[in-house]
Amino acid sequence: MLEVIEKLLILQDRDRKLRRIKAELGAIEPQRHALKTKASGAQAALDAARQRVKEIESRRKQLELEVETKKGQINKYGQQQFETRKNDEYQALAKEIEHCKANIIKIEDEEIELMEQAEQAAKQVESASKVLKEAMAIVDREVGQLDGSETNLKKELAELESNRNDLAAAVDGATLSRYERIMKTRGDNVIVGIEHGVCGGCHMKIPAQVVVHCRAQQELTACTNCGRILYYTRDMVLTATE
Ligand SMILES: [Zn+2]
């Protein structure tokens, strides 16, 4: 194998690792964000349940006041009945008192309904708290794992990057820029084998004279279709599988 191919394969292997680690690092923040969003959804559900309890309680207090007001009115009408001597006025006041009593019964029915709703709402607060607690535990644990992976990946990336320049410097300038140019357009599959008579990058059949040129291992050979740099090793099967 050409010495430059060996160096390029080492460099390519390094670049693949770098690209993979960068991709893994890039995926961490979205995952962390998704986890935190999940927890904030559970928090919102709990807040809504607590708000419902408050609303029911304030409605109940309002109804209590209404009952007190009605009772006050009944007393007042009773007093007026006691004071009047006119029968029609007495009857009108009796009607008002009946009206107030009927209203009180209606309000008390609503209060009973509210008590049932309050019981349900309290249960919802309890279950939403439980869900939130569980979600927070999962989020804390998983965010912790992500933080740990991030630290390790950053360390690994720094180590791999630190001597990537040395690996690149081992390749002559013209070949290196050719390699990097192909990498820009084709990704990290630049130096490819010619297994089964096809290019390991674009999988197109390689003309016989190009295969011969590559096997001679005198200078770099490019795929006539995609321009990737081809290499040959003894264990490669050169005949095409038809
Ligand atoms: Zn090709």
Side-chain angles (χ1 to χ4, degrees):
M1 187 184 286
L2 278 171
E3 202 190 333
V4 66
I5 290 285
E6 278 175 31
K7 287 173 178 167
L8 283 170
L9 283 171
I10 293 169
L11 182 62
Q12 174 170 271
D13 183 59
R14 172 60 50 95
D15 284 338
R16 284 176 178 170
K17 274 185 194 149
L18 284 170
R19 186 179 281 220
R20 199 189 64 231
I21 288 169
K22 281 176 187 168
E24 282 177 33
L25 270 172
I28 283 180
E29 189 43 40
Q31 289 178 68
R32 201 160 32 208
H33 185 253
L35 281 167
K36 286 178 180 171
T37 306
K38 208 161 107 187
S40 67
Q43 180 68 57
L46 177 59
D47 291 346
R50 282 180 174 151
Q51 181 59 27
R52 178 93 185 105
V53 168
K54 271 189 198 163
E55 281 165 9
I56 292 168
E57 180 60 16
S58 91
R59 176 69 183 147
R60 205 181 57 78
K61 279 184 179 156
Q62 190 190 341
L63 291 178
E64 267 176 15
L65 283 176
E66 281 176 26
V67 169
E68 289 313 306
T69 308
K70 300 285 175 208
K71 282 180 178 168
Q73 282 174 332
I74 291 170
N75 279 340
K76 194 185 81 188
Y77 295 143
Q79 189 62 33
Q80 286 171 352
Q81 270 183 327
F82 184 72
E83 286 163 1
T84 188
R85 290 174 185 171
K86 295 175 185 163
N87 191 44
D88 57 344
E89 213 175 284
Y90 186 92
Q91 291 306 327
L93 287 164
K95 250 186 176 172
E96 288 297 335
I97 289 170
E98 282 315 303
H99 187 64
C100 283
K101 284 181 176 169
N103 271 335
I104 288 173
I105 289 169
K106 262 192 209 165
I107 292 167
E108 283 172 346
D109 284 348
E110 195 184 332
E111 280 183 315
I112 290 168
E113 213 174 283
L114 279 178
M115 278 165 70
E116 282 166 12
Q117 287 178 15
E119 213 172 294
Q120 285 301 315
K123 278 181 189 164
Q124 274 169 4
V125 167
E126 202 180 313
S127 71
S129 304
K130 206 175 150 211
V131 168
L132 177 64
K133 204 177 157 195
E134 284 166 2
M136 286 307 292
I138 292 169
V139 166
D140 285 350
R141 191 179 64 233
E142 292 184 2
V143 166
Q145 284 168 352
L146 285 174
D147 290 346
S149 312
E150 190 176 42
T151 306
N152 290 339
L153 286 168
K154 278 182 176 167
K155 200 175 146 216
E156 202 181 339
L157 185 68
E159 281 166 8
L160 289 171
E161 270 174 343
S162 72
N163 69 345
R164 193 264 176 198
N165 286 343
D166 297 340
L167 298 178
V171 179
D172 69 275
T175 307
L176 183 66
S177 55
R178 183 174 169 186
Y179 165 85
E180 284 175 343
R181 205 169 49 243
I182 300 171
M183 178 169 271
K184 253 182 204 160
T185 55
R186 306 284 186 193
D188 56 13
N189 197 23
V190 176
I191 314 300
V192 295
I194 48 171
E195 194 89 32
H196 299 299
V198 299
C199 165
C202 67
H203 306 291
M204 293 295 283
K205 195 172 186 309
I206 296 163
Q209 72 272 23
V210 177
V211 174
V212 169
H213 186 266
C214 184
R215 279 188 74 175
Q217 303 192 64
Q218 295 302 311
E219 53 184 350
L220 292 179
T221 310
C223 168
T224 46
N225 180 58
C226 69
R228 287 184 178 88
I229 298 167
L230 299 171
Y231 74 96
Y232 164 78
T233 55
R234 268 175 221 285
D235 56 342
M236 281 178 188
V237 181
L238 289 182
T239 48
T241 45
E242 303 275 350

